[in-house]
Structures are given as structure tokens and as C-alpha cells.
Amino acid sequence: MSDLSELHIDALTEIFSIGAGRAALSLSEIVGDEVHISVPSVLVINSEEIDSTTLALNGGRFGAVTQHFCGPFNAEAVLLFTEDQALKIVGDMMGSQMSIEEIAEFEHEAMCELGNIILNACLSAMADILHFTLESSLPNYRIASADEVLCRLKENADQPYVMILHIDLSIENRHTAGSLVFLLSSSSLANLVVHIDQFLGSIS
Amino acid sequence: MAFHVEYLKLNLSKKSIVPMHSSIKKLLIVDDSKVSRMLIRTHILARRPEWMIFETACGEDAIKFVDNELPDYCTMDINMPGISGTDAAERILSKYPSIKIVVFSANIQEVHQNRARSLGSILVAKPVTEKSIALALNYFTDSE
Amino acid sequence: MNAMDTRRFDIEDIFNAINIGLIVVDTDSKVLLWNDWIAKHSNIKETDALDRQLEDVFSEPVSPPFLTALNNTLVHRLPVVLSTALHRSPLPLYNAYEANQPKTRMYQSITITPIQSQLNESCCLIQVADSSTSMKREKILRSHSEILKKEAVTDSLTGICNRRFFDAHYEIAVAEAKRQKHPLSIFMIDIDFFKLYNDHYGHIAGDNIIKQIANTLKSQLSRATDVIARYGGEEFVLIMPHLPREAAEQFAEKLRSAVFNLAIPHVKSHSFNQVTVSIGLCSGIPENDNNPLNKADTALYQAKQNGRNQYICLPLGENFEQ
């Protein structure tokens, strides 16, 4: 099931690039500067195969923004940044008038918003292009260690598939990399593939 | 790369049967996503079935292609492996100012809009839809 | 009969009593609900707001990111949050409308959620919270949790790490040394004839000795990766990663002499008439079945047997000759 064709992955990459572009536009409006977000790769694998390399995350602590989406397919979407980087992004977005301690106070709320913008943009691009509607929970932010994140992803028996997007985010002069992980049940992944096939069928 | 050569051959053979001064226009689609190229091709052909459509997957190939084929119009993605679409568009337009290029991108921040304008091109927001294709077609055929 | 009919109060009363701002707008962002909280903080009456475009209701401009977020929710039907951190004050709402008080613009946290009208139109609920109170609360909670965290890992008498922290840190440090195959040095340090000191000088003096020695040992450390903890009673433990045997032995001698040079009188000490320590050291690359802590303890026992005021080093693993 997890072996999507090259064309499926191409379609997903294009969809998420559009989402990334939209997220960048929203963020640039907030920070008043150029923001660049790209999705260099999309990967769909069995969650057992997941490790810190596939997530492109080194050890340490992570800020994780989670939203639950439901519609033709259900997914738990988790956006991960290392906590240090998350703090720096938030710092940059808020401008430099604050100390790192003050920024830490705002980390929770600001990371929720940053994650919300990126997650909504990616999911709304998907909904637009594949012609369906999705509903979503509000974002939730938590800090976890790499091991906790991996355990949670692996031990999720109901959602044995993961779709991983590597995300490059540049705000002003700061460059950051994160990962966006979708946890999918087999039926959700199958439904997603059906929608991509319908879309591909309409253009070929 | 492989498909580029393939399309090139296919269309060169077509070229021989195209009479000069016809309304048949040549459009080059530059995009690293095959799906995106398919999408643009499908929408354009729905409106302009007589056009010849060519594709390349990166800016470098696009520059080479333009030297050989001199298309009338071009759609250009921005984020691609190798040189960026805007850089490719700049090089093409400095050599062939008559080509009309539409930059297709999801990234429609002002910086990019201004850059496209300064090159003598326009930026049209992705996703590729009937609406965005209509904008591109209007730009292509505006002064004609 | 539905739940609404059986309710013995008016839902409007709830909207107006609630301590957050509630606005509902329709697809064209026309205002359908404007609760008392919003009316109070915007100084705009409900009757002046209803059925008007939200942007036009206020006399001051609404921030563009807010309008983008609202539009996104109306189009994509996905909930949006606007944080105080990134927006401060998107809507022209104020904290005080008393006559002689200066108006201050309220810091806000905003949530926009899609809802459906009874006619199936797509509408949005905008919830506005005054975030100045939550900012204060977060600050207090944060400092509380930091104190608690610090208390949980600190030995209250000496201020160095406690046994609990050491046990957790030890596991990680040994696992890392195993994995990376780097030499690790563990020191068990015990005050000689401490019971006799306590009996002779009293418990308060005894506690002071423990404090003084903890400080002295700690002051010898210079690397951030080294951890010293009070292991129990008059016993300390020190763990130093990336420290080969030879350097570890020199360091043990440095610790011993630092305590000796304090020259604290101890008339009941059988050999020296002053306070001394014995040190058991084990050093090397830990292997699977090694227990470095036990080995350091064995070394400490040998140092005591050998006459105290000295260190004994036992190698760990096979590659101890670093």
C-alpha cells in the first residue's frame, strides 16, 4: 500500500509546494519581510520504518504542532522543529526587541500559530486541488524529545502509515528545516490515493 | 532529461507540417513537476487545441530549448532544481525579448511579483486552474 | 422537543455574560453576533455592528493578517489561531473606557473557527481573549515549574545535584560512552571518619563539613559535562565523560589534595588529625556487562583499607590503557 507511484508522489509534492507558497505568503504578511518555504521531498512509508534519519531530525527536544484533520481521509498532522530553532524562528518573527527568555514565554502560542499556518496551507492546497473538503481541530503545541516523538509515531497501531514532508523555511536571513508528518490509517491512505488518481485521471 | 529529448523529437517531426505564419503558436512549459506540466498542458489545450506544447523540467533545459526552437510563449515555474525559473526567464528574455513568459508560482509575495514585472513578465498564482490559465492566455495574446 | 427548548435560560445571556469576545460573521464577513464583551471593549454597540462588514464596523483599521486569516477560514473552512506574540493587537479593542483613564489597546489572542449557519451558509466564529492576563499567568506558571524542577534535582544541604538526578544522568552518560566508545571516569568520594567527626563536633558541624567539601569538590570542576552529586550521607559521586585514565588519576589526586589543604581539624581522625577524603575511581570505556559504579565503589573500599586519604583507580573494560 505504501508504494505510491512516482506520479502520485509528484502530485503530492506539487500540492504541498503550493501549500508552502501560500504559507509563505501568510507569514510574510505577518513578519513584513520575505519568507521562503519549500517542500524538497515527500515520502510515504510504513511507520515502523521511521527513524530519526527519515525525519531529518537530530537529537534534542522538539516543538511539535499537531492538528487532527478529517474528511475523505483522516490524518493527524504533526509539524516538528527542533526547540532551539523554533525559538529562533519565533524570535525572528517577533522582531529583535525581546530577550530569549521573553520569547520563550510566547513560544507556545506563537508556535501554534506558525504550525497552524503551515498545516492549514498544506491541507487547504490539497483540498482545493483534489476537490474535497476537510475539517480540522485547533492546533496543539507540545515539547518532546526525539525519542518520545519517534515512539509516538511508531506505536500508533491505528495509523500505520506516515507521510513525511521535509520543509525548508527561511525568514529574513535565518534558514530552518523542519518536518511535517501525517499519520494515516490504511483506509485513509487508500482514500487519498483514490483522490489523487481521480485528479490525475482528469488531466491525462 | 529523457522525456525532454523525447518531446523534442516528437515536436520537431510535427514542426515540418506546420506552415509558416500560421496562428499555430508554440508554448514551452517549464516545470520540474510532471503533474504540473500535465495540468498546464491539459488546460491550455482545452482552450487552444491548435497550439504546440513543449515541456522541459528545468531552467537550463529551457534555455537550450529556446535557442533551438524559439517558442512564442513560455510558462515558468520558480522553484526547480538548478537555476531558478526567474533567472531562466531573465536570461531568455534578455536574448529573445519577443517571447512572452508567464511565471507560475505558488509564491506570490510582492518580491516575486516585482521581480517578474521587472523582467518583463507576469506572475500568476498556482494552483493551475481555468482561472489562472485564462490570466496567462490573456497575457500571451493581449497585444496580438 | 430539542434541548434548546427545554433549556431554562437564554443562550444570548451566556454570550453576553462570558468573559471573552465573540463575533460571528457570514461568508461576506457581515456581522451576525456581537457580544457584550466586544461591545464594551470596542465601544461599539451591538445594534451599530450587526449586518455590517466587520472591517467597516471599527473606526480604526483592522490588521491585514487578521483579514487574511478570516478570509482563509471562510474559504478553506479550517480553524485559525492568531497569537499575541505575532500580532499584539489585531482588532481595535481597548482595556479601559473610563473617562479619565488613558485608553490602552488590548493585547489579544484570537481563534477563528468555521461554523455553519442554520441556512447552511459558511460562517465564522471569532473568539477574542484578553491575553495580558494569560501572559502574566504563563509567566507565573513558568517560574513555578522552574523552581520545582530545580528543587527536584538539587540536594538541599549542599546545593549540588542529588542522588535522583545522578541516577538518571548516570544511565545516559554510561550508555553514551558505550555507544561512542569514549573513556568515562567515575569517582566515589567519601569523608574519612565522618561518624567520629559528627559524634565529637555535633551534627551541625558535621553538616557544615559536608557543605564545605561539596563546595571544594565542585570548585575543581571546569567542564560543563562533569556532574557531581551527593550520593548519600558523607558520600559524593562524580562522573566525567571523555576523561582517560591517566588524566582521571591526576584529577583524583587534585580532589584529594584540595580537601586536605582545607586543613579542617578533626581530632578523632586516626591518622591525620584533620578532615580527609578517600576516593575510589574507575576509568575506561564501559562495555556491556560492566557496572562502573560498583567498580568505583570497590576502589573506594580498597582506598579505605589502604589507609584512607588517597585514591585507588580500577580500570574499566579492556581498553583502559588510553
Side-chain angles (χ1 to χ4, degrees):
Chain A
M1 187 62 247
S2 68
D3 43 19
L4 275 74
S5 74
E6 220 173 283
L7 209 55
H8 288 137
I9 296 292
D10 186 321
L12 286 169
T13 310
E14 182 62 15
I15 286 167
F16 291 126
S17 301
I18 289 165
R22 287 180 180 175
L25 182 64
S26 295
L27 288 173
S28 75
E29 193 177 35
I30 294 168
V31 297
D33 211 322
E34 190 180 351
V35 175
H36 184 87
I37 306 180
S38 61
V39 179
S41 69
V42 176
L43 186 69
V44 179
I45 55 170
N46 209 297
S47 57
E48 283 158 18
E49 298 165 48
I50 209 167
D51 60 28
S52 50
T53 331
T54 42
L55 279 182
L57 297 171
N58 303 316
R61 300 202 317 152
F62 295 98
V65 185
T66 307
Q67 277 180 233
H68 293 265
F69 290 89
C70 62
F73 71 95
N74 301 337
E76 180 178 343
V78 188
L79 181 68
L80 294 161
F81 285 106
T82 61
E83 197 195 7
D84 293 355
Q85 286 190 326
L87 278 178
K88 284 177 190 150
I89 304 168
V90 172
D92 285 351
M93 288 178 72
M94 290 196 298
S96 51
Q97 73 273 27
M98 286 204 182
S99 71
I100 198 86
E101 288 78 21
E102 283 176 300
I103 290 165
E105 277 174 44
F106 292 107
E107 179 189 357
H108 183 99
E109 221 199 350
M111 283 306 293
C112 263
E113 178 169 357
L114 175 69
N116 181 235
I117 289 171
I118 295 175
L119 292 171
N120 280 2
C122 286
L123 268 296
S124 67
M126 189 184 248
D128 280 0
I129 293 166
L130 300 183
H131 299 294
F132 54 68
T133 47
L134 286 172
E135 285 177 21
S136 169
S137 69
L138 282 163
N140 172 37
Y141 180 65
R142 65 181 195 280
I143 294 167
S145 72
D147 290 341
E148 283 165 347
V149 170
L150 286 175
C151 282
R152 231 186 86 45
L153 294 178
K154 286 180 180 217
E155 283 167 9
N156 201 318
D158 297 335
Q159 294 166 318
Y161 293 100
V162 285
M163 177 159 66
I164 301 168
L165 280 57
H166 293 152
I167 292 195
D168 280 334
L169 169 68
S170 308
I171 297 180
E172 295 172 44
N173 296 321
R174 188 173 315 273
H175 183 88
T176 314
S179 285
L180 175 48
V181 182
F182 292 90
L183 285 76
L184 298 162
S185 67
S186 351
S187 60
S188 284
L189 182 59
N191 286 344
L192 177 58
V193 171
V194 167
H195 277 90
I196 299 172
D197 282 335
Q198 281 171 2
F199 164 70
L200 290 174
S202 73
I203 59 167
S204 54
Chain B
M1 222 31 198
F3 70 81
H4 160 61
V5 176
E6 194 183 307
Y7 275 107
L8 201 57
K9 276 190 205 146
L10 182 76
N11 285 292
L12 280 174
S13 58
K14 261 192 198 169
K15 190 188 173 191
S16 53
I17 54 160
V18 174
M20 295 289 280
H21 310 298
S22 81
S23 68
I24 296 176
K25 299 291 185 185
K26 285 191 274 184
L27 167 72
L28 172 65
I29 301 170
V30 189
D31 201 307
D32 61 329
S33 158
K34 185 171 181 200
V35 168
S36 186
R37 294 193 304 267
M38 283 162 64
L39 204 52
I40 297 171
R41 169 187 283 270
T42 308
H43 279 286
I44 295 272
L45 286 179
R47 300 276 298 265
R48 294 284 189 278
E50 72 283 8
W51 283 15
M52 286 166 60
I53 317 271
F54 305 85
E55 299 178 11
T56 69
C58 69
E60 286 85 350
D61 287 354
I63 292 167
K64 274 185 247 159
F65 177 88
V66 170
D67 278 333
N68 292 328
E69 279 294 306
L70 196 66
D72 300 280
Y73 314 123
C74 171
T75 71
M76 186 72 80
D77 185 25
I78 295 185
N79 290 329
M80 289 181 289
I83 64 168
S84 79
T86 28
D87 286 347
E90 185 170 25
R91 286 202 226 165
I92 291 169
L93 285 170
S94 66
K95 212 167 165 189
Y96 307 101
S98 65
I99 299 179
K100 289 197 157 185
I101 301 184
V102 165
V103 178
F104 258 117
S105 174
N107 195 334
I108 52 163
Q109 285 167 63
E110 246 179 65
V111 209
H112 295 276
Q113 306 225 28
N114 293 340
R115 176 94 200 274
R117 218 171 295 135
S118 73
L119 295 177
S121 144
I122 60 160
L123 185 70
V124 172
K126 275 189 178 180
V128 176
T129 57
E130 266 174 54
K131 209 171 133 196
S132 56
I133 288 293
L135 285 173
L137 284 174
N138 281 346
Y139 177 73
F140 288 151
T141 54
D142 201 18
S143 55
E144 286 163 15
Chain C
M1 216 186 224
N2 65 31
M4 205 70 160
D5 299 325
T6 59
R7 205 175 273 139
R8 288 161 61 196
F9 53 84
D10 194 341
I11 204 84
E12 294 273 327
D13 291 342
I14 306 274
F15 291 153
N16 288 327
I18 203 165
N19 194 27
I20 56 167
L22 297 176
I23 302 171
V24 174
V25 296
D26 69 7
T27 325
D28 307 319
S29 73
K30 267 204 266 173
V31 175
L32 304 181
L33 176 82
W34 189 263
N35 78 344
D36 279 1
W37 190 97
I38 289 282
K40 179 180 152 202
H41 292 286
S42 63
N43 205 20
I44 296 166
K45 288 198 279 296
E46 185 192 17
T47 46
D48 293 332
L50 289 181
D51 274 331
R52 292 177 63 193
Q53 293 263 122
L54 180 61
E55 307 190 49
D56 301 336
V57 173
F58 297 103
S59 53
E60 288 172 82
V62 172
S63 83
F66 172 86
L67 294 173
T68 305
L70 180 61
N71 187 53
N72 279 343
T73 312
L74 285 168
V75 173
H76 302 301
R77 316 290 304 146
L78 297 172
V80 167
V81 292
L82 298 177
S83 66
T84 314
L86 304 179
H87 300 274
R88 289 286 182 273
S89 187
L91 297 173
L93 302 173
Y94 293 86
N95 272 321
Y97 266 105
E98 286 79 11
N100 47 9
Q101 273 199 34
K103 293 201 299 183
T104 51
R105 198 150 158 158
M106 180 195 293
Y107 282 3
Q108 304 147 24
S109 295
I110 295 181
T111 306
I112 309 176
T113 22
I115 55 170
Q116 216 134 40
S117 78
Q118 283 152 355
L119 300 170
N120 236 4
E121 304 158 301
S122 87
C123 299
C124 276
L125 170 66
I126 303 163
Q127 300 174 61
V128 188
D130 178 350
S131 54
S132 48
T133 46
S134 65
M135 275 156 65
K136 273 181 219 146
R137 193 170 59 231
E138 189 167 344
K139 211 171 203 167
I140 292 163
L141 283 176
R142 188 175 279 269
S143 58
H144 267 268
S145 74
E146 263 152 29
I147 291 165
L148 286 174
K149 226 172 171 178
K150 214 174 163 200
E151 276 174 0
V153 299
T154 308
D155 174 60
S156 56
L157 176 68
T158 60
I160 62 175
C161 298
N162 64 12
R163 172 78 181 263
R164 180 164 149 196
F165 178 84
F166 174 81
D167 288 343
H169 179 74
Y170 172 79
E171 296 280 325
I172 298 165
V174 172
E176 195 178 87
K178 264 185 204 167
R179 203 168 51 237
Q180 297 179 0
K181 303 211 180 310
H182 71 68
L184 178 75
S185 297
I186 291 171
F187 305 71
M188 295 286 287
I189 305 150
D190 190 81
I191 305 173
D192 296 325
F193 302 115
F194 182 74
K195 193 177 175 308
L196 297 178
Y197 187 95
N198 245 355
D199 293 346
H200 184 73
Y201 294 93
H203 284 287
I204 293 168
D207 280 356
N208 280 334
I209 290 300
I210 290 173
K211 269 196 259 185
Q212 216 175 330
I213 290 189
N215 281 332
T216 305
L217 296 173
K218 196 183 170 191
S219 67
Q220 304 300 313
L221 304 179
S222 55
R223 306 187 308 173
T225 50
D226 302 336
V227 167
I228 185 158
R230 185 167 172 213
Y231 199 65
E234 71 277 20
E235 203 171 0
F236 302 93
V237 62
L238 167 63
I239 187 159
M240 299 175 80
H242 294 281
L243 193 72
R245 179 174 177 177
E246 200 173 298
E249 289 198 37
Q250 282 169 12
F251 196 78
E253 176 55 20
K254 204 173 147 194
L255 292 175
R256 187 208 58 80
S257 66
V259 174
F260 192 83
N261 290 329
L262 291 173
I264 304 164
H266 183 353
V267 294
K268 296 288 172 185
S269 168
H270 295 311
S271 27
F272 309 102
N273 282 324
Q274 65 172 61
V275 174
T276 58
V277 290
S278 296
I279 301 172
L281 161 63
C282 94
S283 187
I285 299 170
E287 287 170 1
N288 280 338
D289 42 0
N290 287 153
N291 185 334
L293 204 55
N294 277 352
K295 213 146 212 186
D297 207 38
T298 309
L300 175 62
Y301 179 76
Q302 288 179 15
K304 294 271 183 195
Q305 294 297 306
N306 261 4
R308 298 183 169 84
N309 187 34
Q310 60 181 276
Y311 74 85
I312 292 285
C313 181
L314 291 175
L316 185 66
E318 285 165 22
N319 306 323
F320 57 86
E321 299 291 37
Q322 299 278 329

